[in-house]
């Protein structure tokens, strides 16, 4: 039928993780609005480069190709893992929706909990944030930088090349791989990346009709929490490869925020908490970051850069 409404074109990275989480968003949008959604796979620089993400700066390497397709009009909207998004705003693009967050915590995949692994065990993770906090918990283990999708990383444990890997619990849950988790780290043990467990739905700023249409997916509680977390990251002028952890949760009408910057060797940390109104999450994050900078957080991030 020629008068039918065409499906919306959703851009997604091609990995199983990305297409799975994008598919969940597409299904939810169709359920809420009746509008069909077509997934368009996009290969990003972060997917093809062999370089370590920390050397690339981390920020935006999985994002820029999707945003290019958006600006060029080849897709209508895109879905990202929020923790991959740069904190610097692109005025051409708007985050139209942040759906309800999944588990924000980090998880260990391996034969045992972290405390029960033998000294010298090799743990794989490409994240300085995770390494720095793991070194506080188990300084006697060896931490190995790894790349690749979740299936590739899990395979390194199955083959015995590594005794464990640390991944986001949310991603393992979306892939239905929870059975392989030996330990989920509480946020008191390991602060997650700002925005971890949340997704961002982006479209062009010059399409207010689409911004409004996609807003049905937005969860105000999640948006307030991750806005506070990302405000810390932005104020510290740190990219998503920096050893910065932050977690915020709403209780009543108050937002509770904890953030930390940890030296990569785990020897020093600046960790602060604050509470504020959930209607001003950006202020809460900026104020907490200012306190952290006053206590030397910027120095710890600077050490990472050199």
């Amino acid at each position: 039928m020629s008068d039918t409404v065409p499906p919306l074109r959703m851009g997604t990275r091609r990995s199983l993780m990305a297409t799975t989480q994008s598919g969940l968003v597409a299904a939810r949008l169709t359920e809420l609005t009746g509008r069909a959604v077509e997934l368009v796979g996009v290969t990003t620089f972060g997917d093809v480069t062999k370089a370590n993400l920390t050397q690339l700066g981390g920020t935006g390497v999985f994002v820029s190709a999707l945003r290019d397709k958006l600006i060029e009009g080849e897709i209508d909207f895109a879905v990202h893992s929020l923790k991959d998004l740069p904190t610097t705003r692109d005025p051409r693009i708007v985050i139209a929706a942040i759906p309800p967050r999944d588990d924000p915590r980090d998880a260990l995949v391996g034969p045992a909990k972290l405390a029960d692994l033998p000294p010298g065990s090799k743990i794989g993770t490409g994240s300085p944030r995770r390494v720095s906090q793991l070194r506080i918990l188990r300084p006697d283990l060896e931490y190995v930088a790894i790349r690749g999708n979740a299936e590739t990383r899990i395979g390194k444990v199955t083959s015995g090349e590594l005794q464990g890997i640390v991944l986001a619990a949310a991603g393992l849950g979306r892939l239905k791989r929870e059975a392989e988790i030996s330990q989920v780290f509480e946020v008191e043990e390991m602060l997650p990346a700002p925005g971890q467990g949340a997704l961002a739905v982006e479209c062009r700023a010059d399409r207010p009709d689409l911004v409004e249409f996609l807003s049905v997916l937005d969860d105000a509680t999640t948006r307030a929490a991750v806005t506070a977390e990302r405000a810390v990251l932005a104020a510290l002028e740190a990219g998503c490869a920096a050893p910065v952890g932050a977690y915020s949760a709403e209780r009543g009408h108050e937002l509770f925020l904890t953030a930390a910057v940890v030296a990569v060797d785990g020897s020093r940390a600046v960790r602060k908490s604050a509470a504020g109104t959930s209607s001003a999450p950006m202020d809460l994050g900026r104020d907490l970051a200012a306190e952290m900078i006053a206590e030397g957080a910027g120095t710890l991030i600077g050490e990472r850069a050199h």
Side-chain angles (χ1 to χ4, degrees):
M1 287 168 60
S2 59
D3 59 347
T4 54
V5 180
L8 287 171
R9 299 160 302 166
M10 173 201 279
T12 175
R13 288 171 58 200
R14 296 180 188 275
S15 71
L16 178 61
M17 179 84 75
T19 54
T20 300
Q21 63 193 28
S22 296
L24 293 170
V25 173
R28 181 64 177 151
L29 186 63
T30 302
E31 180 188 337
L32 291 170
T33 66
R35 185 78 180 266
V37 177
E38 170 193 356
L39 265 60
V40 179
V42 176
T43 301
T44 72
F45 179 66
D47 294 318
V48 295
T49 181
K50 296 288 185 281
N52 191 305
L53 292 190
T54 50
Q55 295 169 332
L56 299 169
T59 306
V61 295
F62 295 117
V63 173
S64 55
L66 280 165
R67 285 184 164 176
D68 288 346
K69 299 287 185 192
L70 204 52
I71 299 302
E72 291 158 12
E74 292 186 32
I75 57 175
D76 297 301
F77 67 107
V79 175
H80 312 275
S81 291
L82 184 62
K83 66 185 176 72
D84 292 338
L85 281 190
T87 53
T88 306
R89 189 173 166 267
D90 184 327
R92 301 169 297 175
I93 291 168
V94 65
I95 299 177
I98 300 174
R101 186 185 215 167
D102 290 320
D103 193 334
R105 298 173 297 175
D106 291 297
L108 177 68
V109 172
K113 291 186 174 181
L114 192 73
D116 299 328
L117 290 170
S121 294
K122 291 184 177 179
I123 306 296
T125 171
S127 160
R129 172 191 60 82
R130 288 175 177 145
V131 170
S132 61
Q133 295 184 87
L134 286 164
R135 282 194 173 126
I136 294 173
L137 299 170
R138 284 295 303 268
D140 58 328
L141 303 187
E142 184 182 343
Y143 299 102
V144 181
I146 54 169
R147 286 289 322 271
N149 59 36
E151 300 79 29
T152 303
R153 295 184 193 202
I154 292 169
K156 291 180 186 294
V157 177
T158 313
S159 69
E161 181 184 336
L162 298 173
Q163 284 68 60
I165 57 165
V166 180
L167 295 168
L172 290 162
R174 290 172 194 144
L175 291 175
K176 303 283 190 275
R177 305 290 292 259
E178 301 101 326
E180 284 146 294
I181 295 174
S182 57
Q183 180 179 358
V184 175
F185 296 100
E186 297 305 326
V187 293
E188 293 77 18
E189 298 175 287
M190 191 184 304
L191 275 171
Q196 186 161 300
L199 301 175
V201 181
E202 286 192 327
C203 69
R204 276 169 40 173
D206 62 2
R207 295 191 61 184
D209 55 328
L210 187 56
V211 175
E212 169 101 8
F213 186 80
L214 294 170
S215 70
V216 298
L217 294 167
D218 196 60
D219 180 67
T221 302
T222 297
R223 186 180 277 267
V226 299
T227 297
E229 294 165 17
R230 283 168 58 78
V232 173
L233 194 64
L236 290 172
E237 297 184 345
C240 61
V244 178
Y247 178 65
S248 180
E250 198 175 283
R251 292 176 218 151
H253 295 295
E254 275 206 302
L255 207 54
F256 290 82
L257 173 64
T258 299
V261 178
V262 186
V264 180
D265 62 3
S267 63
R268 288 161 299 137
V270 175
R271 184 184 179 106
K272 300 284 287 183
S273 297
T277 170
S278 53
S279 61
M282 192 81 75
D283 293 340
L284 178 63
R286 284 182 186 142
D287 292 348
L288 188 64
E291 290 181 28
M292 294 172 72
I293 290 166
E295 292 191 15
T299 309
L300 296 182
I301 293 170
E303 286 173 7
R304 174 70 217 166
H306 296 109

